[in-house]
C-alpha cells in the first residue's frame, strides 16, 4: 500500500474534480473524489484520508452540514472550497472546525500551498505538535512561554501572549474572529472584535518588521486571522 498522503475531494463540479485530481496526482498524492455530500461522508469513513477538500455547494446536503458530521468523529484537516459570495458560510464552516478555505477560482500554487499546510496539521494530530514555532526573525517557545525577535526576548502582556500563542499554535490555519475571541477572552466576549483588532495591532508593532505590511500575523478580510510560520 502506498505511503503517499491520501486526499478526499468532495465537489459536484466535474471540471473541478478533474482538475484537482490531475494536479494532486501529479504531485504523488492519492486522490479519491465524491460528487455528493453523503458519498463523501461514506468515503471518509471507509478510507480515513489525510486531508479532505470540501465544496460548500453540494446537491444533496449543505457542505457546512458535511463538515459538522465529519467533526463528530474525525480531526482530519478540512479545506473548504467556496464561491466569492458565500463569506458567511466560510465563517460558519471555519467556526465548526474547518482548517482553511479556498475561494473559487483558485490557482494551482495556491491550492498546493494550502494542501501542504493542512497535511502538516494532519501529521501533528497523529503525533506530538512542535512546541517551538519559528516565523522569520520570531521564535515562540510555547512550552516555556518565551517570545524572541532577532534573538532578543519580547515582553508581552498576559493577553498579548495568550493571543499570540493561540495564533502560533494553530499556524497556517484560518481562525475566525469568534473562534479567537472565545478561546482567548472567553465566550462572553465572542462578539467584541474591537478587542481583537487592538491586540493584533499591538502584536504586529512588537513582532513585525513592518507592522503596516505584516508577513506573519495576516488578516483574512471579513473572517479572521492566520499566522504564517516557516516551512
Amino acid at each position: 500500500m502506498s505511503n503517499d498522503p491520501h486526499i478526499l475531494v468532495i465537489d459536484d463540479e466535474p471540471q473541478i474534480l478533474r482538475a484537482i485530481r490531475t494536479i494532486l496526482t501529479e504531485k504523488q498524492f492519492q486522490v479519491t473524489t465524491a460528487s455528493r455530500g453523503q458519498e463523501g461522508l461514506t468515503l471518509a469513513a471507509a478510507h480515513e484520508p489525510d486531508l479532505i477538500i470540501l465544496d460548500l455547494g453540494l446537491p444533496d446536503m449543505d457542505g457546512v452540514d458535511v463538515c459538522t458530521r465529519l467533526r463528530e468523529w474525525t480531526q482530519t484537516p478540512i479545506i473548504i472550497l467556496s464561491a466569492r459570495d458565500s463569506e458567511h458560510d466560510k465563517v460558519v464552516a471555519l467556526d465548526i472546525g474547518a482548517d482553511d478555505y479556498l475561494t473559487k477560482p483558485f490557482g494551482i500554487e495556491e491550492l498546493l500551498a494550502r494542501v501542504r499546510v493542512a497535511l502538516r496539521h494532519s501529521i501533528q494530530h497523529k503525533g506530538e505538535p512542535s512546541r517551538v514555532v519559528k516565523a522569520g526573525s520570531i521564535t515562540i517557545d510555547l512550552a516555556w512561554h518565551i517570545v524572541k525577535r532577532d534573538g532578543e526576548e519580547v515582553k508581552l502582556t498576559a493577553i498579548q501572549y495568550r493571543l499570540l500563542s493561540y495564533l502560533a499554535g494553530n499556524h497556517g490555519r484560518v481562525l475566525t474572529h469568534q473562534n479567537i475571541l472565545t478561546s482567548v477572552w472567553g465566550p462572553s466576549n465572542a462578539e467584541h472584535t474591537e478587542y481583537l483588532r487592538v491586540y493584533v495591532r499591538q502584536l504586529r508593532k512588537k513582532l513585525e518588521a513592518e507592522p503596516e505590511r505584516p508577513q506573519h500575523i495576516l488578516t483574512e478580510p471579513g473572517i479572521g486571522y492566520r499566522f504564517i510560520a516557516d516551512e
Side-chain angles (χ1 to χ4, degrees), residues 134-204:
K134 295 184 178 180
S137 63
I138 306 165
T139 302
I140 305 161
D141 190 319
L142 297 171
W144 290 93
H145 294 201
I146 296 172
V147 180
K148 293 183 177 181
R149 178 182 171 193
D150 294 320
E152 297 291 327
E153 187 168 351
V154 178
K155 298 297 183 182
L156 300 176
T157 67
I159 292 180
Q160 287 172 348
Y161 178 78
R162 285 208 304 272
L163 173 57
L164 178 62
S165 64
Y166 187 68
L167 293 170
N170 289 281
H171 61 86
R173 291 187 61 185
V174 179
L175 301 172
T176 66
H177 297 124
Q178 186 176 36
N179 185 296
I180 299 169
L181 286 162
T182 298
S183 298
V184 176
W185 279 271
S188 63
N189 293 294
E191 304 302 322
H192 294 174
T193 55
E194 69 275 11
Y195 291 175
L196 192 49
R197 285 195 295 270
V198 169
Y199 279 92
V200 165
R201 188 158 56 245
Q202 291 173 354
L203 285 178
R204 284 172 172 165

Side-chain angles (χ1 to χ4, degrees), residues 59-121:
D60 60 330
M61 60 190 300
D62 193 286
V64 170
D65 294 333
V66 176
C67 188
T68 300
R69 294 269 298 276
L70 288 167
R71 280 292 173 258
E72 290 173 356
W73 62 273
T74 181
Q75 289 303 308
T76 297
I78 299 171
I79 298 177
I80 294 295
L81 298 183
S82 174
R84 293 186 185 278
D85 59 354
S86 57
E87 184 175 283
H88 172 73
D89 288 340
K90 285 187 288 192
V91 170
V92 172
L94 290 163
D95 274 336
I96 62 175
D99 293 69
D100 203 348
Y101 72 90
L102 275 169
T103 298
K104 296 179 180 180
F106 49 82
I108 293 174
E109 291 307 317
E110 183 180 16
L111 169 65
L112 292 173
R114 302 298 175 85
V115 165
R116 287 193 296 269
V117 170
L119 286 173
R120 283 201 296 273
H121 292 158

